[in-house]
Amino acid sequence: DQQVKQNSPSLSVQEGRISILNCDYTNSMFDYFLWYKKYPAEGPTFLISISSIKDKNEDGRFTVFLNKSAKHLSLHIVPSQPGDSAVYFCAARNNQGGKLIFGQGTELSVKP
Amino acid sequence: GAGVSQSPRYKVAKRGQDVALRCDPISGHVSLFWYQQALGQGPEFLTYFQNEAQLDKSGLPSDRFFAERPEGSVSTLKIQRTQQEDSAVYLCASTMYTSDTQYFGPGTRLTVL
């Protein structure tokens, strides 16, 4: 039973345009959400996070939106750059411990 | 400072062999997590330590998997009698406190032939 889902395995975007990566979750006990970026042969790198008490968090070109009623979050990257090409993982954590539940990942390709 | 390091980076084992994977967390980090990432999937939680105490091992897939962190710093994940389905990337992450952001190492890619 997949508690965190990223339904798009891949996404291709033109450089300078907006990239929107989506994530859905089923467990209402999740109270903290994170996005990680992963290059081949490297570990996931933390990108941005959001607490369930907020609906938006912004850090430079990266913004995460949380819609609790829909159990949906999204990562917006504006403007997209070729260096953003990587696999992006959405992860969630509940209020009972530190373990993260990850989605399957979305491979973003930003074309020059 | 140095990030999380893992060794070896790559390990090939014959089915039935025992393997040991090492994780060196960021200095001073209290919490340490192990995850398993199969090809094309997201990381899946295996186990978690707070200092030397193993507080959650609910994700370990079988009793062939064993993890330890005897002095509260370096951790070892041991897999006994490896099977082909154990082939995956094993990731280690550490945090100062349990609820903090987890910082990941580069992983160990295990291939069982």
Side-chain angles (χ1 to χ4, degrees):
Chain A
D1 131 18
Q2 192 79 22
Q3 297 186 67
V4 178
K5 293 182 182 179
Q6 294 176 255
N7 291 318
S8 298
S10 63
L11 175 67
S12 183
V13 171
Q14 204 68 30
E15 181 179 6
R17 307 295 287 268
I18 184 171
S19 295
I20 300 177
L21 296 99
N22 294 302
C23 178
D24 297 293
Y25 63 95
T26 57
N27 190 338
S28 57
M29 297 298 289
F30 290 148
D31 67 349
Y32 199 71
F33 303 88
L34 307 91
W35 285 93
Y36 282 84
K37 174 180 178 179
K38 187 179 183 304
Y39 293 117
E42 295 184 11
T45 302
F46 170 72
L47 202 54
I48 193 169
S49 62
I50 188 166
S51 164
S52 60
I53 62 173
K54 295 186 174 182
D55 55 17
K56 177 182 174 181
N57 188 27
E58 194 170 352
D59 183 1
R61 297 186 297 114
F62 303 92
T63 303
V64 55
F65 296 91
L66 175 62
N67 182 333
K68 282 184 64 179
S69 60
K71 293 191 176 66
H72 177 84
L73 64 156
S74 60
L75 174 68
H76 292 211
I77 307 173
V78 184
S80 302
Q81 300 173 354
D84 296 330
S85 297
V87 178
Y88 288 78
F89 290 100
C90 167
R93 192 183 69 206
N94 66 27
N95 57 11
Q96 296 180 349
K99 74 180 182 185
L100 298 177
I101 309 299
F102 284 86
Q104 308 95 308
T106 295
E107 183 171 11
L108 173 66
S109 175
V110 180
K111 301 195 180 303
Chain B
V4 178
S5 61
Q6 293 186 245
S7 61
R9 291 293 314 274
Y10 301 91
K11 176 71 179 177
V12 178
K14 291 183 180 177
R15 191 173 55 182
Q17 280 185 330
D18 298 348
V19 298
L21 313 179
R22 176 187 169 109
C23 172
D24 283 85
I26 294 172
S27 178
H29 276 195
V30 169
S31 298
L32 185 148
F33 299 80
W34 283 98
Y35 294 85
Q36 179 190 59
Q37 185 177 14
L39 191 64
Q41 301 296 318
E44 290 194 3
F45 171 78
L46 293 176
T47 187
Y48 147 62
F49 291 85
Q50 188 169 316
N51 293 308
E52 68 278 2
Q54 190 174 16
L55 298 187
D56 186 348
K57 51 182 182 179
S58 62
L60 295 176
S62 77
D63 58 7
R64 296 186 296 104
F65 286 71
F66 172 76
E68 60 183 5
R69 195 186 183 198
E71 296 177 359
S73 56
V74 170
S75 176
T76 303
L77 176 67
K78 297 178 179 178
I79 309 173
Q80 297 177 324
R81 304 180 304 281
T82 52
Q83 304 294 314
Q84 283 190 317
E85 62 262 28
D86 300 335
S87 295
V89 174
Y90 290 85
L91 294 162
C92 174
S94 72
T95 71
M96 180 66 74
Y97 303 108
T98 302
S99 60
D100 285 353
T101 298
Q102 294 182 22
Y103 295 93
F104 283 82
T108 294
R109 179 176 293 280
L110 172 65
T111 302
V112 181
L113 303 177

